[in-house]
Amino acid sequence: MAGMELQNTVKEALNALYHHPDDAVRMQADRWLQEFQRTLDAWQVADNLLHDASSNLETLIFCSQTLRSKVQRDFEELPSEAFRPLRDSLNTLLKKFHKGPPKVRTQISLAVAALAVHVPVEDWGDGGIVKWVREEMSSHPECIPGFLELLKVLPEETFNYRIAARPDRRRQFEKELTSAMEISLSILTACMSADELKEQVLEAFASWLRLRRGISASVLASHPLVRTALSSLNSELLSEAAVNVTSELIHCSVIGSLSDVSVQMPLIQVVVPCIMSLEAQLKDPSKDEEDVKAIARLFADMGDSYVKLIATGSQESMMIVNALLEVASHQEFDIASMTFNFWHSLQVYLTESDIYLSFGNDASIEAERSSRLQIFQSSFESLVFLVSFRVQYPEDYLELSEEDLKEFKQTRYAVADVLVDAALVLGGEAILKILYTKLAEAAASGVSGELSEWRRVEAALYCIRAIAEFVSIVEAEIMPQVMLLLPKFPNQPQLLQTVCLTIGAYSKWLDASPSGLSVLPSLVEILMTGMSMSEDTAAAAALAFRHICDDCRKKLCGSLDGLFHIYHRAVHAEGAFRVTAEDSLHLVEALSMVITELPPDQAKKALEALCLPVVNPLQEIINQGPVILGQKGSRELTVHIDRLAYIFRYVNHPEAVADAIQRLWPIFKAIFDVRAWDMRTMESLCKACKYAVRTSGRYMGITIGAMLEEIQGLYQHHQQPCFLYLSSEVIKIFGSDPSCSQYLKNLIEALFSRTTCLLTSIQDFTARPDIADDCFLLASRCIRYCPQILIPSAVFPALVDCAILGITVQHREASNSILSFLSDVFDLSHSPESAQYHPIRDSIIVPRGPTITRILIASLTGALPCSRFETVTYALGALARAYGVRTLEWAKEAVSLIPSTAVKEAESLRFLQALSDAASGVNMNALMAPMEELSDVCRRNRTVQEIVQGALRPLELNLVH
């Protein structure tokens, strides 16, 4: 298509995109424009239309975005001689639009900055881009605003990974800018004389400060730009830009260790007094909320950056702490919560023992620690008062939208975290006293039938619950009073929910307290009320019931009849109980843990009683015949089977559970036989079997054989992934047992043979990633628990081939399982007892070595997402450790396929050296950087990635048969 014709087509497509009434036409125009942006013609067309005086705003915005994107991602498309004309054109456009549409000017500035990232100083000429900008500003003073924007985005683009620069070039560009820091600041200082440029200058200065290098704290302390920024904090017009600069100055003077103090102190002494002078504005009612938020941000930044200095407890430090308490007291939570990270960091520096190691012996360390904790005691006490009210339900809580309710919950979680920090500093009992005072005050005014005060009671209880972990289980002053208050509170739903959760949170205290047993009946009554009120209160009550049965199980052994009464009402949904099927599992778990404490003969009877209400409904369904069983909805079966899974998991009496599963096996087999097609029911049933195997172990007897025979046969026709993970549990328990080796061999050969026939192409892996995931999790477990069965088996070579085939499946879990299996195979070298399997393993891996290496390198460089980087790198390292020089030869062969336009020789050599280091046993962490660099180089844009993948051909296997 001719140039002018293509320009007209772009204009027509843009017109259709923004103005055509038909959605289909707009979508078609959008697709065409996106495809156009990827073409080589887009360079010239976008440039021409930007220079065309007749182009409208929509065209200018689109073309400036296109040109910026092309420079960022596709600069390598251009021949080297195109750089000068491109730079000159962008320079002309920057001048043309210096007063033009801001969006267009910004995109062109970004394009110039991206060009500078790609092009080294020596090729740019004029001493590099910063000096070039200075010359252009001198020659064209009317265009200074446009060049100031360019100066602002330059350091920002250093860290923009959308720019397809090689890692070494990106590092070099950062060095170039750092060395030009003095020049850039002199340009900005010169521009400061013009009032209309001050805001732009300050924003650009903030951007350059983010480089964090190139200028010392002592120089900054007396720099005119710093003085201007700090003096502009109270300026109505410049305050936002001044706050940004000041925030960056704080970050520049961050205290990494106390040895940094002397270096950073000149800047700190200039910045801190200016920020402290703003404290009064936090309470100024005439101040706009956004202005207060900006000031609060400075105090929060100061706290976060200087926390190590503040933690020493000096007089100056306490002034900052008091100011941060002022921020924490602000009525707007968004402002108050800015300090929460500081309080957490301060808590760590006050309580972590490692912080005090420099003080010498234990006595000196403890003395210093106690001294500091004493200094900050009143500050954290104040903090507790300032944050605890924020968890209170608003009066209009019933009208809150779903989003507002979610935000309120997040607020409560954040406050709970702050209370935990305070408890770590002050101790749980000290916080408990403060919170109990609030609870008692609210209770005194709200328990007398009035519901208006329930919100204050609930808030205090929520906070008491939040610190439960930090209150001593032998606390005898406050907690008995709290427990006696609980039955007196009104049954308001939100309050009742928190009461139930508080009971559960203090279950360990109830077990240890001398008064615990006496108050338990009244607390259980509260929980039963909770189970009857609403699904939310029932969920809280069921969870609390589980905690009580877990921690007070010895005390409750004599109350089984009462517990069974509650259990039956919940699982049968009798009376007014509102416990959902999911929450009823808490009750199943609760009874199971109490039964665990019983002697074996009593436990066996109790287990039967526990199973009975669960088994009977299943038996009734089975008695109706296979047709009815096959027609039932999954939920009608799984609700009962899931309860059995919990019983088998939490009743820790192996013989009793083995006996139970043997009695129940006919029921399980009937469901297996009729419902093998039903994934949800099979998952539930396999989970129950898994926990039965895990708890019973070798007490399973003949049942385990029947179970394995069942799933082995069913898997041939119904490839349910859960059959594989159940087998995985069996391998873990029985893999090393010689008496089981024959039927385990039959099992894994049957399962793996069928799976390798199912997964014969990458499309199969993509269609059934769950099968692939569970297959290779099972294979890894076989490598660890029964290599003597898997490695000599006839199916092992096919399993390795299948793994190689599926390495590049995009499904995360499936890909990770495959890579982990291959790593386990390579890592057999690490185990002395595995040496006998090396000849078999090597006979399979060595002929496939070049293919495995090529696919792993392809995965590292783009065939798999970046998120798999560590797993792929580990697999490559394991291969190198196992096969040393051979792996290096395979890697050289693979890397040689990649054209030098995509990967330079030096980049390849760094990668190969890393593999060589891996082969000699260097720590894997040391290999990450060169591996990551190759990954980044090959993914820097889509064109390069396609070239690399086209060269490495990860789907071309060349497998050995």
Side-chain angles (χ1 to χ4, degrees):
M1 195 181 286
M4 188 58 71
E5 188 181 343
L6 190 52
Q7 287 172 211
N8 290 332
T9 306
V10 169
K11 289 180 179 179
E12 288 166 9
L14 284 166
N15 188 58
L17 177 65
Y18 288 108
H19 304 292
H20 201 283
D22 188 337
D23 285 349
V25 173
R26 288 202 302 274
M27 286 178 65
Q28 186 179 0
D30 187 40
R31 279 196 298 270
W32 186 89
L33 287 166
Q34 286 185 40
E35 286 301 317
F36 161 76
Q37 285 181 312
R38 298 188 183 110
T39 65
L40 202 55
D41 289 327
W43 287 99
Q44 193 63 59
V45 170
D47 187 66
N48 289 347
L49 289 172
L50 284 166
H51 286 282
D52 186 346
S54 67
S55 293
N56 62 18
L57 181 59
E58 290 161 355
T59 303
L60 292 174
I61 290 172
F62 172 77
C63 290
S64 61
Q65 289 172 338
T66 300
L67 204 52
R68 182 263 305 154
S69 175
K70 296 297 283 184
V71 176
Q72 284 181 339
R73 306 298 301 171
D74 301 324
F75 179 67
E76 291 181 56
E77 288 181 346
L78 299 177
S80 56
E81 61 270 17
F83 158 65
R84 287 280 171 185
L86 176 59
R87 189 191 76 173
D88 294 343
S89 176
L90 289 169
N91 186 13
T92 304
L93 290 171
L94 205 55
K95 293 168 190 168
K96 175 183 175 181
F97 293 111
H98 78 275
K99 285 187 177 177
K103 286 183 179 178
V104 176
R105 186 174 63 245
T106 297
Q107 294 299 312
I108 293 167
S109 296
L110 290 169
V112 177
L115 191 62
V117 176
H118 286 296
V119 179
V121 168
E122 54 273 18
D123 293 338
W124 187 280
D126 304 309
I129 188 167
V130 177
K131 289 183 179 178
W132 177 80
V133 168
R134 183 177 62 183
E135 295 305 315
E136 290 294 328
M137 290 170 86
S138 299
S139 307
H140 304 277
E142 74 283 1
C143 300
I144 284 176
F147 284 106
L148 273 177
E149 180 159 12
L150 172 58
L151 210 55
K152 173 182 176 290
V153 301
L154 266 176
E156 294 169 358
E157 294 306 279
T158 307
F159 310 105
N160 180 359
Y161 285 86
R162 285 194 299 266
I163 299 174
R166 297 172 187 273
D168 54 351
R169 172 58 204 149
R170 193 183 300 281
R171 289 190 291 270
Q172 188 58 39
F173 179 66
E174 187 179 353
K175 288 178 184 174
E176 290 167 9
L177 287 194
T178 301
S179 64
M181 173 77 81
E182 200 174 317
I183 300 168
S184 69
L185 297 195
S186 69
I187 296 171
L188 295 175
T189 305
C191 293
M192 190 61 81
S193 56
D195 286 346
E196 68 276 12
L197 297 177
K198 277 187 176 178
E199 185 175 12
Q200 259 194 296
V201 168
L202 289 176
E203 290 293 0
F205 181 37
S207 180
W208 278 84
L209 287 173
R210 289 184 194 110
L211 286 174
R212 301 279 185 274
R213 289 195 290 274
I215 188 162
S216 68
S218 56
V219 171
L220 279 174
S222 57
H223 201 283
L225 286 170
V226 172
R227 288 200 301 271
T228 302
L230 295 175
S231 64
S232 301
L233 285 169
N234 288 306
S235 162
E236 198 170 323
L237 293 174
L238 299 176
S239 61
E240 185 179 346
V243 164
N244 289 338
V245 171
T246 308
S247 179
E248 293 306 328
L249 289 170
I250 293 169
H251 295 151
C252 283
S253 57
V254 67
I255 303 297
S257 63
L258 292 178
S259 60
D260 294 340
V261 173
S262 58
V263 176
Q264 303 296 351
M265 194 51 77
L267 185 54
I268 292 173
Q269 288 174 333
V270 170
V271 172
V272 170
C274 290
I275 298 174
M276 293 301 293
S277 69
L278 304 173
E279 186 178 352
Q281 295 184 30
L282 291 167
K283 295 180 286 187
D284 187 346
S286 65
K287 273 283 178 186
D288 178 77
E289 188 181 318
E290 288 304 313
D291 291 337
V292 176
K293 196 175 282 188
I295 294 167
R297 171 188 152 203
L298 291 180
F299 281 102
D301 282 349
M302 194 162 59
D304 291 338
S305 297
Y306 305 150
V307 66
K308 287 187 180 178
L309 199 56
I310 292 169
T312 60
S314 67
Q315 191 174 349
E316 296 83 359
S317 298
M318 297 314 292
M319 291 171 63
I320 297 176
V321 170
N322 291 333
L324 286 161
L325 283 170
E326 193 66 55
V327 177
S329 71
H330 198 278
Q331 61 183 9
E332 289 297 325
F333 181 74
D334 285 351
I335 292 174
S337 62
M338 288 180 178
T339 66
F340 287 4
N341 188 64
F342 162 74
W343 300 115
H344 174 69
S345 300
L346 181 59
Q347 173 268 117
V348 169
Y349 280 105
L350 292 175
T351 59
E352 293 287 329
S353 55
D354 291 353
I355 306 295
Y356 298 96
L357 290 178
S358 61
F359 288 92
N361 60 42
D362 290 349
S364 301
I365 287 172
E366 189 52 40
E368 179 65 24
R369 187 172 179 274
S370 299
S371 169
R372 291 192 185 185
L373 289 173
Q374 185 65 37
I375 290 169
F376 288 96
Q377 180 179 334
S378 63
S379 301
F380 275 91
E381 286 174 350
S382 299
L383 181 65
V384 172
F385 279 105
L386 290 173
V387 301
S388 55
F389 80 92
R390 296 183 188 278
V391 304
Q392 184 170 311
Y393 273 91
E395 288 186 21
D396 62 345
Y397 73 96
L398 288 172
E399 279 78 52
L400 290 180
S401 67
E402 191 175 332
E403 191 60 37
D404 287 340
L405 195 58
K406 184 179 176 184
E407 192 174 314
F408 175 59
K409 285 182 179 178
Q410 293 300 326
T411 297
R412 283 164 63 104
Y413 298 151
V415 169
D417 288 341
V418 175
L419 291 172
V420 166
D421 288 323
L424 285 163
V425 173
L426 301 174
E429 287 81 356
I431 305 288
L432 183 63
K433 285 180 181 178
I434 296 171
L435 297 173
Y436 179 70
T437 304
K438 287 175 171 273
L439 177 66
E441 288 172 0
S445 57
V447 175
S448 56
E450 293 262 340
L451 282 180
S452 58
E453 292 299 320
W454 74 263
R455 294 182 300 112
R456 286 176 57 202
V457 172
E458 192 280 336
L461 266 184
Y462 178 89
C463 295
I464 288 172
R465 174 190 155 219
I467 60 160
E469 187 182 339
F470 306 95
V471 175
S472 168
I473 59 172
V474 296
E475 199 282 332
E477 180 187 351
I478 304 295
M479 280 313 300
Q481 298 178 66
V482 172
M483 291 298 171
L484 289 174
L485 271 180
L486 297 183
K488 299 177 183 177
F489 294 143
N491 291 331
Q492 195 281 336
Q494 281 74 22
L495 174 57
L496 181 56
Q497 184 178 3
T498 301
V499 168
C500 292
L501 292 171
T502 304
I503 292 169
Y506 283 90
S507 56
K508 285 183 171 62
W509 180 88
L510 286 166
D511 182 51
S513 170
S515 61
L517 192 59
S518 62
V519 298
L520 264 179
S522 61
L523 299 182
V524 171
E525 281 295 321
I526 295 174
L527 298 184
M528 290 181 71
T529 304
M531 290 182 205
S532 305
M533 180 163 282
S534 70
E535 284 195 4
D536 286 341
T537 59
L543 182 61
F545 192 76
R546 190 199 80 187
H547 284 306
I548 286 178
C549 288
D550 184 9
D551 291 317
C552 307
R553 57 177 78 182
K554 286 187 171 69
K555 286 183 172 153
L556 292 171
C557 283
S559 306
L560 269 180
D561 289 345
L563 297 179
F564 268 112
H565 174 66
I566 297 170
Y567 168 68
H568 279 277
R569 287 184 64 183
V571 298
H572 290 311
E574 289 178 1
F577 268 27
R578 307 285 296 276
V579 182
T580 64
E582 285 73 20
D583 291 322
S584 73
L585 294 174
H586 290 314
L587 300 175
V588 176
E589 183 180 343
L591 267 291
S592 299
M593 290 187 289
V594 175
I595 290 170
T596 295
E597 289 303 309
L598 297 174
D601 56 333
Q602 293 178 36
K604 187 174 180 181
K605 291 177 184 175
L607 177 57
E608 289 175 12
L610 191 61
C611 291
L612 199 61
V614 181
V615 172
N616 283 345
L618 289 173
Q619 188 67 64
E620 286 172 14
I621 294 171
I622 290 167
N623 289 344
Q624 294 174 57
V627 175
I628 299 298
L629 176 58
Q631 291 172 347
K632 290 287 183 182
S634 299
R635 183 71 176 157
E636 293 180 72
L637 299 168
T638 59
V639 68
H640 306 297
I641 300 170
D642 288 345
R643 288 168 181 162
L644 286 172
Y646 266 60
I647 292 170
F648 297 154
R649 181 178 184 180
Y650 291 107
V651 174
N652 191 11
H653 278 282
E655 288 185 77
V657 170
D659 184 60
I661 190 70
Q662 186 173 347
R663 283 184 290 102
L664 294 174
W665 177 246
I667 294 175
F668 280 27
K669 187 176 189 313
I671 299 171
F672 269 127
D673 288 343
V674 175
R675 304 282 300 206
W677 50 268
D678 174 7
M679 180 179 284
R680 176 67 190 91
T681 301
M682 288 301 101
E683 284 177 348
S684 179
L685 200 54
C686 284
K687 188 192 295 182
C689 291
K690 177 181 82 170
Y691 288 125
V693 170
R694 185 177 292 180
T695 301
S696 303
R698 295 195 164 90
Y699 289 105
M700 284 283 284
I702 59 170
T703 314
I704 189 67
M707 189 184 292
L708 295 182
E709 188 179 335
E710 183 73 15
I711 60 171
Q712 183 177 325
L714 289 175
Y715 189 71
Q716 303 307 311
H717 306 287
H718 305 280
Q719 293 81 42
Q720 300 287 7
C722 55
F723 296 160
L724 297 168
Y725 82 62
L726 173 55
S727 303
S728 189
E729 191 65 33
V730 172
I731 291 295
K732 182 179 176 183
I733 304 295
F734 297 98
S736 59
D737 187 341
S739 66
C740 303
S741 59
Q742 189 55 50
Y743 68 71
L744 289 182
K745 181 175 184 291
N746 295 340
L747 173 73
I748 64 175
E749 286 189 351
L751 296 179
F752 288 142
S753 296
R754 185 74 184 104
T755 305
T756 54
C757 290
L758 287 172
L759 303 174
T760 59
S761 69
I762 196 65
Q763 290 78 16
D764 294 333
F765 281 86
T766 303
R768 293 301 308 270
D770 48 354
I771 286 280
D773 181 23
D774 285 312
C775 168
F776 287 101
L777 285 174
L778 172 60
S780 279
R781 191 156 274 186
C782 290
I783 291 285
R784 294 184 193 122
Y785 289 96
C786 55
Q788 76 282 1
I789 297 175
L790 176 63
I791 294 174
S793 73
V795 78
F796 186 53
L799 192 61
V800 171
D801 284 342
C802 187
I804 297 169
L805 186 66
I807 290 173
T808 57
V809 65
Q810 297 302 295
H811 188 274
R812 183 180 60 192
E813 284 80 12
S815 172
N816 284 340
S817 296
I818 291 166
L819 288 165
S820 296
F821 163 69
L822 288 171
S823 298
D824 288 339
V825 172
F826 306 149
D827 278 340
L828 275 172
S829 309
H830 285 178
S831 168
E833 63 271 18
S834 298
Q836 58 184 307
Y837 309 121
H838 289 182
I840 302 172
R841 181 201 63 178
D842 295 349
S843 70
I844 295 165
I845 298 300
V846 171
R848 295 161 175 81
T851 299
I852 295 171
T853 309
R854 175 170 52 80
I855 295 173
L856 287 174
I857 293 174
S859 301
L860 188 73
T861 56
L864 285 176
C866 296
S867 57
R868 311 290 149 72
F869 170 76
E870 288 188 13
T871 318
V872 175
T873 300
Y874 184 87
L876 264 171
L879 185 67
R881 286 193 299 275
Y883 294 103
V885 176
R886 276 189 288 201
T887 303
L888 207 57
E889 291 304 316
W890 298 333
K892 283 178 184 175
E893 183 184 333
V895 170
S896 70
L897 299 171
I898 304 173
S900 58
T901 52
V903 177
K904 293 178 181 175
E905 185 180 1
E907 292 161 339
S908 297
L909 289 174
R910 279 197 291 272
F911 167 73
L912 293 169
Q913 182 58 50
L915 265 191
S916 176
D917 292 341
S920 58
V922 170
N923 187 290
M924 281 300 295
N925 291 333
L927 311 178
M928 289 298 181
M931 298 274 190
E932 194 167 10
E933 187 161 307
L934 183 74
S935 179
D936 288 347
V937 164
C938 294
R939 296 173 193 262
R940 64 187 185 273
N941 63 31
R942 193 162 70 168
T943 303
V944 170
Q945 194 164 331
E946 287 171 356
I947 290 170
V948 172
Q949 294 305 305
L952 293 174
R953 310 177 313 283
L955 299 181
E956 189 177 303
L957 301 185
N958 302 328
L959 294 178
V960 177
H961 294 291

